[in-house]
């Protein structure tokens, strides 16, 4: 899959300083889904274009994956649009290779990093099964001019109809960091099918990348719902935190959660377990607890929701089972966490039947799945 970004801001070759990638070299990076290459098809003082090419290994994506019996032999796992159409994979690669540029830092050209410059972005294959109007709804409110082209799925077989893949071109005058954050959030929103399991840390990622624009975006509810894979609890958490910034009334928040039914499937009823976790979160919010212990955390379902709460500064997740803690660490994505996210979480093996000094200093302790096993 391919993405190009160009500027004519003189001297245009300074784009290399902003991206921290020299225009005269090819840069390659190993990603979980394949290999990302950064190179410059053109680099003059009048115009400079950088290209991000992501080579996806479809076999590597499936290798070692656990699923239902026989699933490993499903041809669709190997033959699909994942290697070609822009998706969450391209967004992840974008963040990995341009991480510093996304923060707006450039020691060599700090004044350029802070300036709005003319930018042109081209993504030749965008999966948008919601139609060609969605890219305009997402990017135009952010100051982009959007050109969308489509065509038949196969010119030799007109009966197959229009292709679900769009050729999208964006042009505008924005800060480079703003442009990269727009792409990081909105490419997965267009595709609406993330390649990894979405957990509570995705709320933080969304709000961090959309800090300057998401609250005021007219499609903020649709963006949150699609970015968070239609998980109602996570979407509600994201919209509630956005409402704090935008002073949205609770009634408007409820409307947002139920909106856009023409594009998104209706929310399923909450399970009893989800209702129980929601009730626990409500009590913790009412007491303004900042350091919370999830004692008997099991596989980390509640801990994931606790980490999604901005007001909770630290989560201590404890369980007597080493196996449960390993699963919890995997479910919470500990290996993929940033240092700041990792500092908010402590995973320990501990039993409630013994004194443990590591459990001191908490504002609240939750025994959601354990209290029935504790002697009166």
């Amino acid at each position: 899959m391919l993405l190009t970004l160009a500027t004519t801001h003189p001297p245009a070759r300074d784009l290399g300083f902003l991206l921290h990638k020299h225009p005269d070299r090819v840069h390659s990076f190993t990603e979980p889904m394949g290999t990302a290459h950064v190179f410059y098809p053109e680099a003059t003082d009048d115009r400079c274009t950088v290209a991000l090419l992501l080579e996806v290994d479809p076999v590597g994506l499936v290798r070692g994956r656990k699923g239902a019996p026989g699933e490993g032999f499903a041809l669709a796992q190997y033959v699909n649009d994942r290697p070609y159409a822009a998706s969450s994979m391209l967004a992840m690669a974008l963040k990995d290779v341009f991480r510093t540029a996304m923060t707006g830092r450039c020691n060599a050209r700090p004044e350029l990093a802070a300036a709005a410059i003319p930018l042109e972005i081209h993504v030749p294959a965008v999966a948008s099964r919601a139609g060609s109007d969605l890219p305009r709804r997402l990017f135009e409110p952010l100051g982009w001019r959007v050109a969308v082209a489509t065509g038949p799925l196969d010119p030799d077989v007109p009966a197959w109809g229009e292709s679900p893949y769009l050729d999208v071109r964006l042009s505008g005058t924005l800060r480079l960091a703003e442009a990269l954050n727009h792409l990081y959030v909105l490419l997965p929103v267009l595709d609406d099918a993330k390649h990894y399991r979405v957990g509570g840390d995705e709320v933080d990622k969304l709000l961090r990348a959309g800090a300057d624009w998401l609250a005021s975006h007219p499609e903020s509810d649709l963006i949150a719902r699609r970015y968070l894979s239609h998980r109602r609890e996570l979407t509600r958490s994201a919209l509630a935190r956005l409402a704090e910034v935008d002073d949205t009334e609770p009634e408007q928040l409820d409307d947002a959660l139920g909106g856009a039914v023409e594009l998104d499937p209706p929310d399923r009823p909450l399970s009893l377990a989800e209702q129980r976790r929601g009730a626990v979160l409500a009590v913790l919010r009412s007491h303004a607890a900042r350091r919370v212990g999830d004692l008997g955390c099991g596989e980390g379902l509640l801990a994931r929701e606790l980490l999604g709460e901005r007001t909770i500064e630290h989560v201590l997740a404890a369980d007597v089972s080493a196996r449960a803690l390993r699963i919890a660490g995997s479910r919470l994505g500990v290996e993929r966490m940033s240092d700041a996210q990792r500092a908010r979480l402590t995973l320990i093996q501990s039993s409630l039947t013994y004194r443990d000094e590591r459990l001191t200093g908490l504002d609240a302790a939750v025994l959601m799945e354990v209290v029935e096993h504790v002697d009166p």
Side-chain angles (χ1 to χ4, degrees):
M1 59 187 74
L2 178 68
L3 179 150
T4 63
L5 184 150
T7 186
T8 56
H9 183 79
R13 277 178 62 91
D14 280 359
L15 180 64
F17 287 108
L18 292 180
L19 294 172
H20 302 265
K21 303 291 183 292
H22 198 287
D24 296 336
R25 302 173 189 162
V26 175
H27 311 262
S28 297
F29 306 85
T30 300
E31 294 290 317
M33 73 294 291
T35 305
H37 306 281
V38 176
F39 57 94
Y40 292 76
E42 57 181 344
T44 68
D45 286 342
D46 297 324
R47 183 179 176 86
C48 187
T49 301
V50 65
L52 171 59
L53 175 67
L54 180 60
E55 290 185 297
V56 174
D57 176 10
V59 176
L61 287 175
V62 178
R63 187 181 295 119
R65 176 181 171 185
K66 296 180 180 180
E71 184 182 334
F73 298 98
L75 184 61
Q77 288 193 98
Y78 301 93
V79 183
N80 52 51
D81 65 1
R82 296 291 87 182
Y84 314 107
S87 65
S88 57
M89 295 184 197
L90 185 59
M92 178 180 288
L94 189 80
K95 182 178 181 181
D96 287 346
V97 303
F98 298 140
R99 183 180 300 273
T100 304
M102 288 181 67
T103 66
R105 298 198 310 270
C106 180
N107 294 334
R109 298 288 190 276
E111 73 290 344
L112 185 59
I117 61 176
L119 295 171
E120 299 172 18
I121 295 172
H122 182 207
V123 190
V126 176
S128 178
R129 292 162 183 81
S132 60
D133 185 53
L134 187 56
R136 296 187 178 90
R137 292 169 55 191
L138 295 178
F139 285 99
E140 285 182 348
L142 299 173
W144 293 101
R145 296 181 296 277
V146 182
V148 179
T150 186
L153 186 61
D154 188 330
D156 296 329
V157 190
W160 286 359
E162 289 290 300
S163 168
Y165 305 103
L166 309 176
D167 183 295
V168 177
R169 295 178 184 269
L170 311 173
S171 58
T173 303
L174 298 91
R175 291 172 51 242
L176 178 65
E178 291 176 331
L180 294 176
N181 279 283
H182 294 167
L183 291 169
Y184 173 69
V185 171
L186 297 179
L187 286 176
V189 170
L190 283 167
D191 183 47
D192 199 21
K194 282 197 170 180
H195 71 283
Y196 57 90
R197 191 181 187 284
V198 172
D201 58 334
E202 292 294 294
V203 176
D204 290 329
K205 293 179 185 178
L206 172 63
L207 298 184
R208 186 163 52 246
D212 298 327
W213 55 271
L214 185 55
S216 59
H217 197 292
E219 300 286 356
S220 59
D221 56 314
L222 180 143
I223 292 170
R225 190 160 49 246
R226 283 176 159 239
Y227 186 88
L228 298 169
S229 297
H230 304 270
R231 291 196 56 196
R232 184 180 177 88
E233 286 184 59
L234 298 183
T235 303
R236 186 172 185 87
S237 174
L239 292 176
R241 289 165 63 177
L242 284 174
E244 294 176 8
V245 176
D246 203 33
D247 294 327
T248 303
E249 295 298 326
E251 293 79 6
Q252 292 174 279
L253 176 60
D254 290 335
D255 291 342
L257 283 167
V261 293
E262 73 279 3
L263 290 178
D264 300 312
D267 293 314
R268 59 174 175 77
L270 289 178
S271 68
L272 184 59
E274 289 171 326
Q275 293 179 52
R276 187 161 57 244
R277 291 196 296 272
V280 168
L281 291 173
V283 172
L284 294 173
R285 292 189 197 109
S286 69
H287 289 278
R290 296 189 177 277
R291 295 183 60 83
V292 178
D294 181 9
L295 310 184
C297 65
E299 298 180 358
L301 290 173
L302 177 63
R304 183 177 61 199
E305 306 301 336
L306 295 173
L307 290 171
E309 292 287 311
R310 185 177 61 177
T311 57
I312 295 178
E313 297 173 354
H314 192 83
V315 176
L316 184 145
D319 201 280
V320 71
S321 167
R323 177 180 178 276
L325 288 171
R326 285 195 299 270
I327 296 174
S330 176
R331 186 188 295 274
L332 296 170
V334 171
E335 297 299 323
R336 301 188 301 273
M337 286 183 175
S338 66
D339 291 341
Q341 291 172 322
R342 188 66 184 86
R344 294 182 62 215
L345 173 68
T346 300
L347 283 169
I348 64 170
Q349 185 174 14
S350 182
S351 171
L352 296 179
T353 59
Y354 298 97
R355 183 176 180 84
D356 191 333
E357 295 295 334
R358 295 174 297 175
L359 303 182
T360 60
L362 300 174
D363 296 324
V366 180
L367 284 75
M368 192 173 71
E369 306 290 353
V370 179
V371 67
E372 66 267 30
H373 301 292
V374 178
D375 291 336

